[in-house]
Amino acid sequence: KAGVTQTPRYLIKTRGQQVTLSCSPISGHRSVSWYQQTPGQGLQFLFEYFSETQRNKGNFPGRFSGRQFSNSRSEMNVSTLELGDSALYLCASSPGTGIPYEQYFGPGTRLTVT
Amino acid sequence: AQKVTQAQTEISVVEKEDVTLDCVYETRDTTYYLFWYKQPPSGELVFLIRRNSFDEQNEISGRYSWNFQKSTSSFNFTITASQVVDSAVYFCALSEPQGGSEKLVFGKGTKLTVNP
């Protein structure tokens, strides 16, 4: 069974630009969650999607948005990039039944904002 | 509010030593789930264990064991006879299944270095 894949793996952007990250969950998984990991703040929840609907949202500004497609693939977008957005962005998938089973994480996308 | 505290930022041991990673959590719910994840240098989080709030039985899996104590809101992780391959950052996490969400609240992590 293929694992969670994230593209691209590395990205360098300039302040003010926007970026889109992609996540393909494990086949059959309907829930996709996104996390931001930084040395200072650690792992922070961004949002969760289930069946194309946002099920939960973390405490991030509106510049961070996401969506999920009918095949459960998900994208997250960050507009008007700031230096502080430099981080490892991790995507996780799970069956999404509502009982928190283990989430399977992808390798992450390392975003650097200059 | 949910909160997970891993007071140990870094731990360094010599191979074959036993090591315990501490995790203390805060929650107002009676139903919740606790997790441990491992993040090796490659960066990908690897699931280790899930425990629900109604199951206080300790668990052992090979060299790994977990001690869940609701009375002290702790969910500690012990590695017996540590090996160099155990070197990684370990995260404890909490989930409260409200509205079906599977949001995880992570601790800051404990970086474990096992020296040969």
Side-chain angles (χ1 to χ4, degrees), chain B residues 3-42:
Chain B
K3 186 178 178 182
V4 176
T5 301
Q6 294 180 256
Q8 304 149 309
T9 306
E10 291 193 44
I11 299 176
S12 181
V13 299
V14 176
E15 211 170 15
K16 296 184 184 177
E17 279 188 42
D18 298 348
V19 57
T20 296
L21 309 182
D22 298 333
C23 172
V24 174
Y25 62 91
E26 293 177 31
T27 176
R28 286 179 290 190
D29 279 8
T30 55
T31 302
Y32 53 89
Y33 294 79
L34 296 164
F35 299 80
W36 276 94
Y37 280 87
K38 173 182 180 179
Q39 188 176 41
S42 61

Side-chain angles (χ1 to χ4, degrees), chain A residues 35 37 40-41 43 45 48 55-56 94 96-103 105-106, chain B residues 33 35 37 39 43-45 47 50 91 95 97 99-104 106 108:
Chain A
Y35 294 85
Q37 186 176 24
Q41 298 300 316
L43 277 156
F45 173 79
E48 178 194 2
R55 191 153 70 172
N56 202 346
S94 72
T97 58
I99 297 174
Y101 290 102
E102 58 268 30
Q103 294 186 25
F105 282 81
Chain B
Y33 294 79
F35 299 80
Y37 280 87
Q39 188 176 41
E44 194 165 328
L45 282 163
F47 166 81
R50 177 188 72 140
F91 292 94
S95 180
S101 174
E102 300 183 16
K103 168 189 173 183
L104 290 172
F106 285 90
K108 293 286 188 173

Side-chain angles (χ1 to χ4, degrees), chain B residues 43-91:
Chain B
E44 194 165 328
L45 282 163
V46 177
F47 166 81
L48 294 177
I49 190 171
R50 177 188 72 140
R51 174 67 75 231
N52 73 55
S53 53
F54 299 108
D55 182 5
E56 288 193 70
Q57 199 168 12
N58 291 330
E59 181 157 340
I60 298 174
S61 176
R63 296 183 297 106
Y64 296 171
S65 62
W66 290 268
N67 183 350
F68 176 31
Q69 292 196 337
K70 285 179 75 170
S71 59
T72 55
S73 297
S74 65
F75 187 41
N76 297 336
F77 172 33
T78 296
I79 301 175
T80 302
S82 60
Q83 299 176 1
V84 173
V85 293
D86 295 328
S87 296
V89 181
Y90 291 86
F91 292 94

Side-chain angles (χ1 to χ4, degrees), chain A residues 82-97:
Chain A
E82 300 177 359
L83 293 178
D85 297 333
S86 294
L88 180 66
Y89 290 88
L90 292 163
C91 160
S93 79
S94 72
T97 58

